[in-house]
Amino acid sequence: MAGLLDLLNSDLGKTLVNNASSQLGQDKVKTASALSTALPLILGAMKNNASTPQGAEGLLSALSGKHDGSLLDNLGGMLGNSDILSDGAGILGHVFGGKQQNVANAVSKKSGMDANSAMSLLQMAAPIVMAYLGKEKRSQNVNDGNGIGDLLGGLLGGGAQQEQSLITKILDADGDGSVVDDLIGMASGGKKKGGIGGLLGGLFGK
């Protein structure tokens, strides 16, 4: 199964990093680091939501309609678009249950990017994750809750359980940032080569 590693090591992934760094006024290495932390957290939160029948049904519905993957066909022209950012904010609010500031703080601490830029990056990334899921759903003909759970688990790779634990910690945190050090092991990719950690390292020789 194609994972996010394949996406982010592709031309599409380079477009994402280049455009996001330009939009945010951040260097590419910092943007790559922030994305390598943000994407598994977004995916993991979606997997958590899809663990209930109602959540899975809602996600399947979204992936069959607005988020069918067509965004990826014009990614370079869409990043930073106000509609995309608004859509991203809505997705984040839904999947993180209003705790997206904790997630932005975690991404900020891991990458060195300021929290406001980290939040904007999350808003850019969320619709892209949804579009990628929509494309994978269509190509694999996923039509039920079990299938969408398997799809999300496959994209997260072997470290899915670790990501779920970190998501729970972040969403339960009081916002003081004390849990975000736990992200370092996940995002460095040191413990599970081939998992989602360190997704973008190959792009920059890190």
Side-chain angles (χ1 to χ4, degrees), residues 54-171:
Q54 184 179 7
E57 184 178 336
L59 182 56
L60 283 167
S61 176
L63 296 179
S64 298
K66 181 178 182 180
H67 301 286
D68 62 357
S70 55
L71 171 66
L72 301 181
D73 297 331
N74 186 32
L75 184 59
M78 297 299 289
L79 276 180
N81 179 295
S82 60
D83 290 340
I84 291 292
L85 293 176
S86 177
D87 187 30
I91 294 167
L92 294 174
H94 179 69
V95 300
F96 290 120
K99 299 291 185 68
Q100 56 267 40
Q101 189 60 56
N102 289 356
V103 181
N105 291 343
V107 172
S108 171
K109 183 163 185 177
K110 174 61 184 75
S111 65
M113 185 180 286
D114 67 273
N116 287 338
S117 294
M119 180 64 82
S120 295
L121 186 72
L122 284 164
Q123 291 171 355
M124 290 180 195
I128 293 165
V129 172
M130 288 289 284
Y132 191 64
L133 284 173
K135 183 178 180 182
E136 289 294 303
K137 172 191 174 294
R138 195 167 68 244
S139 69
Q140 298 182 37
N141 197 29
V142 172
N143 292 305
D144 59 39
N146 287 335
I148 198 69
D150 290 345
L151 174 61
L152 287 160
L155 289 170
L156 280 165
Q161 186 172 352
Q162 185 185 7
E163 264 98 28
Q164 291 301 124
S165 173
L166 287 168
I167 289 157
T168 300
K169 287 182 180 181
I170 289 171
L171 298 188

Side-chain angles (χ1 to χ4, degrees), residues 3-10 13 17 28-41 110-111 155-159 162-163 166 182-206:
L4 281 180
L5 182 63
D6 301 304
L7 168 68
L8 290 167
N9 279 328
S10 69
V17 173
K28 292 177 185 178
V29 173
K30 190 176 289 185
T31 302
S33 175
L35 280 167
S36 72
T37 303
L39 290 173
L41 292 174
K110 174 61 184 75
S111 65
L155 289 170
L156 280 165
Q162 185 185 7
E163 264 98 28
L166 287 168
D182 294 332
L183 282 165
I184 293 173
M186 177 188 78
S188 69
K191 292 183 179 178
K192 52 179 193 332
K193 293 182 185 295
I196 200 167
L199 286 169
L200 293 156
L203 291 176
F204 304 100
K206 291 184 73 180

